[in-house]
Amino acid sequence: MARYAIALDYKNCIDCKACEVACKEENGILLGADKQRIWVGHAPIKGEYPFLDLTSNAFVPSQCQQCEVAPCESVCPTHATYYDENGVVRVDAEKCILCSYCMVACPYDARYVDDRTHTVDKCNFCSDTRLARGETTTACQATCPTKVRVFGDLDDPESEISQLLRVREYFTLKPHLGTNPKLFYLT
Amino acid sequence: MSIKEFITTIPYNRISIRDLFTFEKSPVNLLIALMTLSFLAMFALGVAIYLEHGHHAYGVTRQHPWGLLIAVYIFFVVSSTGLCIVGSLGDVFGFKDYMAVSKRAIFGSIVTIVSGFAVIAFEIGHPVTMVIYNVLSPGLTSAIWWMGTLYGIYLTFMVIEFVFLLRNDMRMARYVGFFGLMFGLLAHSNLGGVFGFLNARPISNGVFFPTYFILTAFITGIFITFIMLGLRYKLSFPEEIKKLLTNLAKIQALLISILIFFVSWKMLTDIYDGLPGRADVASHILGSWTFWIEVVLVMIVPLVVILRKTGSNLVAIFWVSLSGMVGIFFMRYNLVHDSQLKPLQMLKNTEYQLAPEWVSYFPSAAEIMISLGGLGLCVLLYFIGSKLFNLDADAHH
């Protein structure tokens, strides 16, 4: 039993997209920009010349936010989307009817149709690959050359992520929606 | 009486396939027959393409996962609920003037929802899995689960009510019709809830759609009643039907006025003070031609035509009911599309491409063919029903 989360030191991201490749390789995700569990967004420069805010121009790696109150779980008519024992939001392909309601309800555009199973797929923190093998990192974390991601257990006060979140300021995406995301962007 | 004996007491006309081709060969009838057959052929072709290519045959995307088929499904189930409300005026609420249309309206509510189910079966990726896990693993917080389950119960009640109407057992029809109406309204407001529960989409989120769906269902039901009775009586209505339709037209004027009020305030509250994600979407909707088709065909034209002669110009109202149904289609399409207009992932994440401003969608040929096929199926089932059963009021009415 754990409460897995990821902290992202996103300003270290260099947009090499190694995380996208590693995720596809590890989890057997099909090729194509629409078939991705994780991605790197480009935040545009804010302001108008000459009043440009250069610090706003950042790379923002993202994926399923692993919400504690996940809209995709609430709207699923067959409980195909569920929370596992580690608080990870996962999809049971056997039960998914491909109604796509979760795709419409997810505030983070984190879901897509997996053509391997013809069901809706999303990031599950490598739960059925690396974590199932007993490893303690996700593929995106392990491959990152600038160590943007730190994956770990929020319930363990000694975990690296818990220590980081104690000393660093962070924000979450769309906090006003009350979804309590478990992806923390360090500032 | 056993169920078998009961079934043998249901009155119906014995017909052969040949009887289905026996109708007055007027140009209008031939046009309707030709269109129906063409649409059914398109349905078969659209389904074949879907079975071969799956959702790749559709214009839906990751950002716009719900497309034309969802809109057409809503179009049919709204029609069904509306016809159920119109049919219930007579046999549930006891307004005797409306008894004459009860049987036809209830039968219409059955064929429209069956057509809706036929269309959605090719949008839901795994309909068989849905039937199994809806029962084994029900998602009770899901509006889709409630909508689907309640519509299933509703359809059962509608069929039983129709049987009692055919047997002229008005007492049982009233009881069953009450539960049918109740489940229909619950199912339908849950369909509104499917959109209303979308916290991520401020343009849809809230109480508006669950209530608006009931209102627009009633309006749709009256439009279709005009169309059904107009075709039945070839626009030359007997006195009893004239009275019924004139009264319905007056109710329609009231309902459309309320709808205009609803939509105006929805737009005003959406735009007021520029709340991001809602005001910008509402402004975008106001600038789209599909929204104005909805406004003109469902609201302005029917209201003006009805009010001009306080509902007595039935032939004109028949024609604006036909165009009104085109408007109702756009209303459903707009609802589905507009809910997904605003991209949820605002950052550019692919090279050589700007960050998306609005999500675009255009239905594919397969989607259009299956949608028209749903219409063809609806007309065919209604035609067969009108041959098989006496849909007019019984003599004592």
Side-chain angles (χ1 to χ4, degrees):
Chain A
M1 293 280 283
R3 194 158 61 97
Y4 287 135
I6 287 184
L8 296 103
D9 210 345
Y10 74 102
K11 287 178 182 168
N12 286 350
C13 177
I14 56 171
D15 193 30
C16 67
K17 299 189 191 297
C19 53
E20 291 184 19
V21 175
C23 173
K24 281 189 189 273
E25 179 64 25
E26 180 66 63
N27 298 294
I29 310 298
L30 297 177
L31 295 178
D34 266 0
K35 314 285 178 200
Q36 54 192 9
R37 287 183 173 185
I38 67 173
W39 59 90
V40 179
H42 298 196
I45 299 176
K46 288 179 184 163
E48 282 185 27
Y49 182 82
F51 305 106
L52 297 174
D53 175 8
L54 294 180
T55 59
S56 64
N57 186 209
F59 299 122
V60 187
S62 196
Q63 61 208 77
C64 168
Q65 301 291 307
Q66 298 294 349
C67 308
E68 285 186 322
V69 185
C72 57
E73 193 274 344
S74 310
V75 302
C76 180
T78 56
H79 279 310
T81 298
Y82 65 101
Y83 303 104
D84 75 5
E85 66 278 11
N86 297 317
V88 179
V89 181
R90 295 175 68 177
V91 179
D92 181 348
E94 176 80 10
K95 290 182 183 172
C96 178
I97 63 171
L98 195 49
C99 65
S100 310
Y101 196 9
C102 52
M103 294 171 72
V104 179
C106 171
Y108 307 102
D109 191 18
R111 289 173 161 258
Y112 71 99
V113 179
D114 182 356
D115 284 336
R116 297 170 302 172
T117 55
H118 299 290
T119 55
V120 179
D121 190 36
K122 60 182 276 299
C123 163
N124 61 12
F125 283 166
C126 295
S127 286
D128 43 23
T129 48
R130 296 174 69 90
L131 297 193
R133 293 197 300 265
E135 296 182 44
T136 54
T137 59
T138 60
C140 50
Q141 175 193 9
T143 197
C144 181
T146 54
K147 298 301 166 208
V148 167
R149 285 174 171 85
V150 174
F151 171 77
D153 179 7
L154 292 176
D155 284 345
D156 175 5
E158 301 307 315
S159 67
E160 188 182 354
I161 186 170
S162 293
Q163 294 181 31
L164 259 178
L165 294 179
R166 278 204 292 274
V167 297
R168 296 277 300 270
E169 290 191 342
Y170 58 84
F171 63 89
T172 55
L173 299 184
K174 303 185 182 181
H176 64 285
L177 293 177
T179 53
N180 299 350
K182 291 205 297 291
L183 252 66
F184 302 95
Y185 290 81
L186 303 172
T187 58
Chain B
M1 191 190 295
S2 70
I3 292 176
K4 200 173 172 185
E5 283 169 345
F6 179 83
I7 290 172
T8 57
T9 63
I10 300 170
Y12 71 98
N13 306 319
R14 288 188 183 279
I15 58 168
S16 63
I17 297 290
R18 181 177 293 184
D19 292 326
L20 294 180
F21 294 94
T22 313
F23 56 88
E24 188 193 338
K25 305 290 187 294
S26 65
V28 174
N29 285 352
L30 286 172
L31 179 67
I32 293 174
L34 186 67
M35 284 174 72
T36 305
L37 290 176
S38 311
F39 289 169
L40 287 169
M42 286 183 194
F43 190 60
L45 184 57
V47 168
I49 295 172
Y50 168 71
L51 292 177
E52 168 111 20
H53 300 284
H55 277 94
H56 292 296
Y58 299 161
V60 292
T61 58
R62 176 175 180 147
Q63 288 76 24
H64 199 295
W66 282 351
L68 179 65
L69 296 190
I70 296 283
V72 170
Y73 165 73
I74 296 173
F75 173 82
F76 279 121
V77 296
V78 170
S79 302
S80 177
T81 314
L83 285 167
C84 170
I85 297 172
V86 171
S88 302
L89 290 175
D91 70 348
V92 174
F93 295 109
F95 293 108
K96 294 213 176 335
D97 286 351
Y98 300 107
M99 285 281 193
V101 77
S102 283
K103 221 189 300 181
R104 192 175 294 276
I106 297 301
F107 183 70
S109 76
I110 295 169
V111 299
T112 44
I113 199 165
V114 168
S115 306
F117 285 162
V119 170
I120 200 73
F122 300 103
E123 166 60 39
I124 298 287
H126 305 286
V128 177
T129 309
M130 177 184 77
V131 174
I132 296 167
Y133 284 105
N134 248 24
V135 178
L136 296 185
S137 176
L140 299 181
T141 53
S142 169
I144 281 193
W145 185 87
W146 283 101
M147 176 202 64
T149 307
L150 290 167
Y151 267 133
I153 299 171
Y154 158 80
L155 176 58
T156 311
F157 275 108
M158 285 294 99
V159 171
I160 298 171
E161 179 186 5
F162 181 63
V163 167
F164 282 121
L165 286 172
L166 283 175
R167 294 181 77 234
N168 208 14
D169 184 343
M170 302 313 287
R171 196 173 68 91
M172 285 304 293
R174 187 176 169 201
Y175 291 138
V176 178
F178 170 78
F179 286 106
L181 176 66
M182 195 179 72
F183 280 110
L185 293 178
L186 286 173
H188 201 55
S189 53
N190 265 285
L191 178 55
V194 168
F195 294 88
F197 285 148
L198 293 173
N199 289 349
R201 316 240 177 207
I203 194 69
S204 305
N205 182 226
V207 73
F208 181 74
F209 282 130
T211 47
Y212 162 91
F213 264 46
I214 302 295
L215 176 68
T216 55
F218 201 174
I219 292 171
T220 310
I222 295 179
F223 278 149
I224 300 177
T225 304
F226 263 90
I227 295 168
M228 289 193 307
L229 293 180
L231 292 172
R232 164 68 185 84
Y233 295 104
K234 301 188 187 103
L235 299 181
S236 172
F237 303 104
E239 276 311 311
E240 183 193 27
I241 300 296
K242 267 187 191 167
K243 189 178 171 195
L244 180 156
L245 288 178
T246 305
N247 286 342
L248 274 182
K250 288 175 186 168
I251 296 175
Q252 185 76 317
L254 173 68
L255 295 175
I256 292 173
S257 305
I258 298 171
L259 177 65
I260 292 172
F261 200 71
F262 267 35
V263 172
S264 302
W265 276 105
K266 161 95 173 117
M267 281 298 170
L268 279 169
T269 49
D270 280 348
I271 288 173
Y272 191 75
D273 267 359
L275 188 71
R278 198 169 73 181
D280 46 350
V281 178
S283 301
H284 188 83
I285 293 168
L286 284 177
S288 67
W289 61 271
T290 52
F291 173 73
W292 291 104
I293 286 194
E294 172 187 328
V295 171
V296 171
L297 295 185
V298 179
M299 300 175 210
I300 296 171
V301 172
L303 187 63
V304 169
V305 169
I306 294 170
L307 290 183
R308 236 180 106 236
K309 300 219 169 142
T310 53
S312 60
N313 45 344
L314 299 179
V315 174
I317 300 173
F318 167 82
W319 289 111
V320 296
S321 294
L322 262 181
S323 61
M325 285 307 292
V326 175
I328 290 283
F329 164 74
F330 277 97
M331 187 183 261
R332 303 306 161 213
Y333 181 84
N334 291 342
L335 161 83
V336 172
H337 178 53
D338 295 344
S339 292
Q340 301 167 90
L341 260 176
K342 185 83 177 172
L344 295 173
Q345 171 55 253
M346 300 295 294
L347 302 182
K348 169 174 119 75
N349 61 11
T350 338
E351 298 302 327
Y352 315 117
Q353 172 189 302
L354 292 174
E357 190 180 7
W358 300 107
V359 175
S360 63
Y361 164 78
F362 195 81
S364 70
E367 284 171 292
I368 293 170
M369 286 192 283
I370 293 175
S371 301
L372 289 173
L375 184 60
L377 181 67
C378 185
V379 174
L380 178 72
L381 291 176
Y382 178 72
F383 175 67
I384 293 173
S386 64
K387 291 271 181 191
L388 202 57
F389 306 113
N390 171 26
L391 298 180
D392 293 329
D394 293 313
H396 76 277
H397 294 137

